[in-house]
Amino acid sequence: MATRGIGSGIALLAALWVRTASAVPTSSTPLEVAVNNPLALARHGEVLTLPMAEVLQRRPQWRSRPLAARVEGSASWLPVQAYASDGGAVPDQLLVQLDIAPKATARLEILPAPASMPTIPNPLFARLVPERDDDFAWENGQVAYRIYGTALEKTGQVFPGIDVWSKRPPRHVVDAWYKRDAEGQRLNDPSMSYHIDHGDGLDSYDVGHTPGDGGTAGWLDGAPVASRNASQVRITAQGPVRLRFEVDYPAWRVGDVTLHQHKVVTLDAGSHLNRQVVTWRIEGAPRATVAAGVAVHAGADLVHDGATRIAVWDTPQKASAGRIATALLLAPGETARYAGTRDAAWTLFDVADGGSIRFASGSGWSQGDMPDFRSWQNYLYDYFMRWSHPLQVHWPAARH
């Protein structure tokens, strides 16, 4: 029987050690993830959500390191964001924004961000505007919105509707428009108002006492009963992939019950739609009917698929401002019923105390990147399909 010498045994052990060591991922070994698009739709700027726990299970040494992502074989970096879905301080998700072709699979590499990582411009922006009666405004490259604060109530503007600002992508406009408008008031020069298009868009949307583009209310005897304006706003994430903020409103009476609502609003880079999760506390009854709506001004075109999708091709305050597209989409799996009033289309929800409703609302502009009503309806259909069929993630087997 042949025997091996000591030298050959050492060589064998060394070879085994090399193979084993090479199989153990180091802090610089990329984590490869396969991402599948199940739809026959191209997905541009799609936000992929990776649970941080799944990443750290495979690379625990990355726990305190900023991460980066790219398509395998590419030298270009994708926008990423460590994100706390509960609004807290500890991220539980890694957001990656990517393009993926219909029915395609993309292979991504996750790895620690290199020191030479270029700064990716942040298309998202939000801020409180105390100098304009406690407004709160937010935007990305495509759209801009605002809600009103308590200081504006002295003018009689008391309704928690969402205002739409029509802008031409991809510029940020919030700070510039407020600054120019304030200077116009100081100089008594109305031509500087943000109600006039200076080349980057304008505010020509009439919220009034309507829900605007996605406002919420109680519902009683076939009509909305609105709260007062927002009492508190807290920004919890500012991009570059996802903006997140929370809004609280003063409690209000709706018939025999008192309602409290707490909103979580998110807007992704490149998206026209805000996703909203509204949680309700109900005093005086175990359940209540609440509503989310979108204004329908005189002359507007309206189409809806029950309460699932509501699309409006609306009329601005100035005819020269073209048309403003607005919408409300139920989240996949959400149940509601449709109702119409003189100036709005509504989705009605029956909620229990502590329950939540989920929907998306948003806008486009005929003089921006939404040229006609058909384009808007197509956008909403594609958005709903993507929301209903998220990207599928296939992780490599974890190594221990």
Side-chain angles (χ1 to χ4, degrees):
M1 179 175 178
T3 59
R4 289 194 179 108
I6 293 176
S8 62
I10 292 175
L12 176 60
L13 288 173
L16 288 171
W17 183 88
V18 168
R19 285 199 296 270
T20 303
S22 64
V24 176
T26 67
S27 61
S28 60
T29 305
L31 174 59
E32 298 178 356
V33 182
V35 181
N36 176 254
N37 175 11
L39 293 175
L41 293 173
R43 301 164 88 130
H44 175 70
E46 187 82 355
V47 176
L48 171 68
T49 301
L50 299 176
M52 196 67 79
E54 294 279 3
V55 175
L56 296 179
Q57 177 187 2
R58 293 162 174 82
R59 298 292 188 277
Q61 62 269 46
W62 292 355
R63 186 168 302 277
S64 60
R65 300 188 65 174
L67 301 178
R70 62 190 174 196
V71 175
E72 188 178 58
S74 172
S76 300
W77 298 103
L78 298 170
V80 301
Q81 179 180 345
Y83 177 75
S85 61
D86 63 355
V90 180
D92 62 328
Q93 297 175 349
L94 181 68
L95 307 180
V96 182
Q97 194 163 33
L98 72 156
D99 298 339
I100 186 166
K103 293 286 187 178
T105 297
R107 299 190 180 279
L108 303 186
E109 293 181 338
I110 313 297
L111 66 164
S116 59
M117 182 80 180
T119 300
I120 297 177
N122 189 353
L124 297 159
F125 179 76
R127 77 172 180 97
L128 290 163
V129 192
E131 69 271 23
R132 221 300 297 198
D133 296 321
D134 294 339
D135 282 0
F136 177 78
W138 69 101
E139 66 180 321
N140 63 16
Q142 287 67 38
V143 289
Y145 305 95
R146 68 171 168 175
I147 54 176
Y148 302 121
T150 54
L152 192 67
E153 292 179 353
K154 65 181 182 291
T155 69
Q157 179 66 59
V158 184
F159 204 101
I162 297 178
D163 191 20
V164 173
W165 279 6
S166 301
K167 59 182 280 187
R168 295 184 176 90
R171 309 171 187 173
H172 279 179
V173 300
V174 165
D175 270 350
W177 287 13
Y178 276 118
K179 181 177 180 180
R180 187 173 62 213
D181 189 79
E183 183 68 5
Q185 293 183 45
R186 187 183 71 83
L187 298 174
N188 196 27
D189 182 358
S191 70
M192 299 178 71
S193 168
Y194 50 58
H195 295 288
I196 295 175
D197 189 350
H198 294 269
D200 51 3
L202 76 165
D203 174 15
S204 189
Y205 187 75
D206 183 16
V207 178
H209 293 276
T210 78
D213 188 19
T216 48
W219 193 263
L220 182 67
D221 297 333
V225 181
S227 74
R228 291 165 49 199
N229 296 353
S231 58
Q232 184 177 14
V233 184
R234 183 172 74 97
I235 303 170
T236 66
Q238 301 194 62
V241 176
R242 177 166 296 164
L243 171 72
R244 183 187 187 277
F245 59 91
E246 301 180 7
V247 189
D248 287 293
Y249 295 84
W252 76 106
R253 295 285 295 179
V254 181
D256 295 330
V257 305
T258 298
L259 295 181
H260 306 252
Q261 69 168 327
H262 174 78
K263 284 191 176 189
V264 175
V265 182
T266 58
L267 176 65
D268 289 349
S271 177
H272 284 259
L273 301 184
N274 302 289
R275 294 188 185 181
Q276 299 192 47
V277 179
V278 188
T279 302
W280 301 86
R281 191 157 56 86
I282 305 167
E283 298 177 6
R287 304 185 68 85
T289 300
V290 299
V294 57
V296 183
H297 298 99
D301 297 320
L302 165 68
V303 297
H304 67 91
D305 178 11
T308 302
R309 287 191 298 275
I310 300 172
V312 182
W313 192 241
D314 216 340
T315 51
Q317 292 172 293
K318 295 184 177 182
S320 61
R323 300 295 285 265
I324 300 172
T326 56
L328 194 147
L329 304 181
L330 287 187
E334 197 76 13
T335 301
R337 60 189 185 277
Y338 177 84
T341 57
R342 177 184 57 84
D343 55 5
W346 298 89
T347 53
L348 307 184
F349 305 81
D350 294 320
V351 295
D353 180 33
S356 298
I357 63 175
R358 300 181 304 126
F359 62 93
S361 61
S363 66
W365 187 31
S366 65
Q367 296 181 15
D369 63 352
M370 203 61 61
D372 52 48
F373 197 19
R374 176 54 57 188
S375 299
W376 182 232
Q377 293 178 69
N378 289 341
Y379 176 86
L380 297 175
Y381 174 81
D382 288 356
Y383 184 98
F384 186 78
M385 290 296 292
R386 296 195 309 270
W387 200 2
S388 303
H389 300 84
L391 296 173
Q392 300 168 348
V393 177
H394 302 281
W395 295 93
R399 291 168 176 160
H400 302 283

